[in-house]
């Protein structure tokens, strides 16, 4: 391994990610692991230099305070604690703004080197992938989004033609998205790409399903089924590549934190999965994934492409998916993206999209009363997808978008703008 590692053990803190980013900003690689990690598992981690016991308000689970295995203190690693009364450590961090104590722990007590760079991360992950995969093949879902594109580039660097990319059109893509993915990856990047049009299959499975968690699980599970079918047509496919990143894991729940929502590549995988997973980005935050893509030489437009959830428009067509509302989401989203690009906001706003709820409101068209859907616009900025602020869009731009949506999108009579930051809201509605 090229970089030293500081292990953060989650003992109920809501600031694990803040601490991890703080350590990485000091040039030292850090990973967050569960409080009950075994001494054997911890020893198996590469190049561990020290351990931080990170306690907090969620330290009591089901009426009992969580604790680390006492044997961890006997492993010989320097240990420091934050808000963990049971700790046997002599040194404690009083708070996360406590930089001096943290620096002393990292660079004096642990003798860690500031060698956390994206180049080193890529080299380490490429080597780990080669060890895991050997001479076998990896099947990768290539949506064309940032995460899957970066995973594809990293896997190509590690194992070359052992990677088989599959693009599944589940009928929940943005307007012209599948066509663009096929053109870029097959025609321009010459990837080994298999295209599968499964739109009718997915929409059939989702008919009448309103619960967002059930929708995510159906979409995630059906994705795997499609992959299994494609894999059976090939030889030597034993692995499934995943674009899982750290916010996906956090929001899907940990042993001391409740689930915000499951992600199709975390909580939606079937129990009888026949593949081993390859997840080289699972310890990275979104901005680090982009930095990884740049280091790998991916085009700027691809690396900074607007994020798009795995379940696609399925979580933006709120409630049970219907074809008319799905079309309204797709067309209104296309208008929003066109107008944001026209105003230069596509280079300024991290994520922007539309959603259509599953209820109607009264309106007037052609001097007659109508009962139609509304479109809600969301535009937010964030660094690591853990918190987000609302973009202050000029009224003139919003007015132009509203007029176009009302004139060009069928079954819509109202446009709203979402003013909610994260938290308390999440980035997506479902």
């Amino acid at each position: 391994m090229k970089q030293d590692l500081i292990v953060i053990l989650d003992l109920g803190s809501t600031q694990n990610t803040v601490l991890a980013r703080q350590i990485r900003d000091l040039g030292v690689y850090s990973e967050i692991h569960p409080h009950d990690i075994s001494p054997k598992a911890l020893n198996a981690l590469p190049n561990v230099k020290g351990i931080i016991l990170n306690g907090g308000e969620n330290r009591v689970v089901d009426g009992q305070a969580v604790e680390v295995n006492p044997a961890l203190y006997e492993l010989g690693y320097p240990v420091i604690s934050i808000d963990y009364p049971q700790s046997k450590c002599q040194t404690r961090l009083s708070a996360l703004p406590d930089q001096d104590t943290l620096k002393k722990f990292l660079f004096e007590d642990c003798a860690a080197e500031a060698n956390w760079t994206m180049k080193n991360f890529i080299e380490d992950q490429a080597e780990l992938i080669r060890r895991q995969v050997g001479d076998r093949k990896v099947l990768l879902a290539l949506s064309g989004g940032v995460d899957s594109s970066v995973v594809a580039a990293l896997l190509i660097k590690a194992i070359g033609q052992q990677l088989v990319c599959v693009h599944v059109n589940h009928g929940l893509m943005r307007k012209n998205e599948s066509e663009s993915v096929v053109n870029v990856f097959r025609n321009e990047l010459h990837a080994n790409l298999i295209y599968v049009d499964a739109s009718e299959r997915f929409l059939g499975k989702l008919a009448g399903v309103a619960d967002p968690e059930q929708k995510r699980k159906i979409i995630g599970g059906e994705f795997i089924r499609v992959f299994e079918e494609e894999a059976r047509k090939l030889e030597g496919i034993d692995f499934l590549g995943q674009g899982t990143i750290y916010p996906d894991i956090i929001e899907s729940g940990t042993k001391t934190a409740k689930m915000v929502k499951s992600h199709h590549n975390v909580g939606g995988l079937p129990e009888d999965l026949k593949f081993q997973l390859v997840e080289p980005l699972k310890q990275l935050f979104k901005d680090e994934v982009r930095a990884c893509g740049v280091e790998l030489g991916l085009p700027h437009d691809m690396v900074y492409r607007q994020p798009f959830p795995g379940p696609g428009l399925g979580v933006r067509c709120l409630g049970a998916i219907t074809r008319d509302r799905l079309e309204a989401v797709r067309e209104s989203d296309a208008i929003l993206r066109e107008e944001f690009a026209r105003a230069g906001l596509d280079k300024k706003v991290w994520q922007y999209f539309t959603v259509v709820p599953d209820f109607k409101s009264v309106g007037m068209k052609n001097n007659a009363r109508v009962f139609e859907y509304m479109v809600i616009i969301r535009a937010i900025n964030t660094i690591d997808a853990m918190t987000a602020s609302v973009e202050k869009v000029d009224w003139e731009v919003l007015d132009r978008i509203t007029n176009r949506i009302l004139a060009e999108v069928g079954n819509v009579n109202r446009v709203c703008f979402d003013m909610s930051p994260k938290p308390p809201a999440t980035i997506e509605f479902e």
Side-chain angles (χ1 to χ4, degrees):
M1 294 291 286
K2 298 292 183 182
Q3 69 261 341
D4 294 337
L5 170 63
I6 298 296
V7 176
I8 300 170
L9 296 188
D10 174 17
L11 284 143
S13 176
T14 59
Q15 300 292 305
N16 288 314
T17 56
V18 175
L19 179 58
R21 292 303 303 269
Q22 193 171 355
I23 295 171
R24 293 185 191 187
D25 287 344
L26 292 172
V28 181
Y29 182 55
S30 62
E31 290 183 357
I32 303 165
H33 288 272
H35 68 278
D36 57 356
I37 186 172
S38 69
K40 181 179 180 180
L42 196 145
N43 267 333
L45 297 174
N47 232 23
V48 175
K49 292 294 182 178
I51 303 170
I52 299 180
L53 310 178
N54 199 23
E57 54 266 48
N58 293 328
R59 195 166 48 81
V60 177
V61 178
D62 295 329
Q64 186 172 359
V66 297
E67 298 184 28
V68 298
N69 188 327
L72 293 181
Y73 296 106
E74 311 301 324
L75 297 179
Y77 300 113
V79 182
I80 196 171
S81 69
I82 305 174
D83 192 18
Y84 178 47
Q86 287 98 327
S87 172
K88 298 179 181 179
C89 305
Q90 298 299 317
T91 309
R92 301 173 187 266
L93 274 172
S94 58
L96 296 182
D98 192 356
Q99 284 283 299
D100 291 339
T101 303
L102 181 60
K103 288 179 181 178
K104 180 180 181 299
F105 177 71
L106 297 179
F107 300 114
E108 295 181 23
D109 300 348
C110 299
E113 294 184 24
N115 53 13
W116 161 237
T117 66
M118 197 50 65
K119 181 178 180 181
N120 285 344
F121 173 82
I122 290 170
E123 291 180 5
D124 284 345
Q125 288 302 318
E127 178 59 29
L128 290 172
I129 291 167
R130 293 186 197 106
R131 291 181 194 172
Q132 181 182 7
V133 174
D135 61 356
R136 292 172 288 178
K137 294 180 181 179
V138 179
L139 189 65
L140 173 68
L142 183 55
S143 68
V146 178
D147 301 338
S148 67
S149 297
V150 174
V151 167
L154 184 50
L155 287 169
I156 289 170
K157 177 181 177 64
I159 58 174
Q161 292 302 303
Q162 293 169 241
L163 174 66
V164 179
C165 300
V166 176
H167 175 67
V168 177
N169 179 0
H170 52 23
L172 305 170
M173 304 292 286
R174 291 176 288 201
K175 191 173 183 177
N176 298 324
E177 188 117 49
S178 281
E179 295 84 349
S180 175
V181 169
V182 171
N183 180 60
V184 170
F185 285 94
R186 177 181 288 168
N187 301 336
E188 296 181 15
L189 300 181
H190 308 292
N192 182 7
L193 176 64
I194 297 171
Y195 173 75
V196 182
D197 186 352
S199 54
E200 291 300 321
R201 173 174 173 172
F202 275 82
L203 293 177
K205 292 281 186 181
L206 291 164
V209 179
D211 180 74
E213 280 304 305
Q214 190 178 357
K215 286 199 294 187
R216 286 178 178 272
K217 291 181 185 299
I218 288 173
I219 294 169
E222 203 62 23
F223 252 107
I224 300 304
R225 301 305 176 211
V226 173
F227 290 147
E228 287 180 333
E229 291 170 12
E230 293 304 317
R232 283 195 290 269
K233 302 174 186 177
L234 304 167
E235 294 183 358
I237 300 290
D238 295 306
F239 297 91
L240 177 67
Q242 290 271 83
T244 311
I245 65 175
Y246 196 69
D248 297 342
I249 296 173
I250 287 293
E251 289 188 336
S252 293
T254 65
K255 292 181 179 180
T256 60
K258 293 182 179 179
M259 179 182 69
V260 177
K261 60 184 177 184
S262 70
H263 289 257
H264 75 285
N265 50 2
V266 179
L269 296 175
E271 294 181 1
D272 60 343
L273 182 67
K274 293 180 173 62
F275 301 113
Q276 297 180 52
L277 295 182
V278 179
E279 302 174 292
L281 306 182
K282 66 181 180 180
Q283 291 290 345
L284 295 188
F285 298 95
K286 196 71 179 190
D287 58 314
E288 293 173 330
V289 173
R290 296 187 193 278
C292 184
V294 170
E295 183 67 32
L296 286 164
L298 289 176
H300 183 274
D301 289 346
M302 184 181 295
V303 172
Y304 287 92
R305 187 177 187 177
Q306 185 187 140
F308 192 55
L313 300 182
V315 292
R316 295 178 181 174
C317 184
L318 307 184
I321 298 171
T322 59
R323 292 178 186 268
D324 58 343
R325 286 193 299 110
L326 183 60
E327 188 64 15
V329 175
R330 184 175 285 119
E331 292 298 324
S332 62
D333 177 80
I335 291 171
L336 178 67
R337 288 190 286 138
E338 287 175 12
E339 293 298 334
F340 264 43
R342 177 180 172 185
L345 291 172
D346 58 326
K347 299 178 178 63
K348 180 183 177 185
V349 183
W350 187 81
Q351 191 169 15
Y352 46 95
F353 55 89
T354 63
V355 301
V356 176
D358 59 347
F359 59 86
K360 297 180 179 180
S361 66
V362 68
M364 292 289 295
K365 284 186 178 179
N366 301 319
N367 297 316
R369 181 179 182 273
V370 293
F371 204 50
E372 296 179 325
Y373 297 111
M374 70 171 64
V375 169
I376 303 173
I377 297 171
R378 185 137 172 83
I380 55 94
N381 284 312
T382 183
I383 293 176
D384 57 13
M386 299 304 293
T387 61
S389 60
V390 177
E391 173 67 18
K392 296 178 175 62
V393 182
D394 289 343
W395 185 262
E396 181 180 343
V397 176
L398 285 177
D399 192 45
R400 187 164 61 243
I401 293 169
T402 298
N403 290 335
R404 281 197 61 189
I405 290 175
L406 293 178
E408 299 175 30
V409 182
N411 298 312
V412 170
N413 66 358
R414 196 178 297 267
V415 177
C416 302
F417 187 77
D418 182 4
M419 293 292 294
S420 313
K422 177 183 180 179
T426 54
I427 292 175
E428 298 286 343
F429 275 60
E430 291 188 338

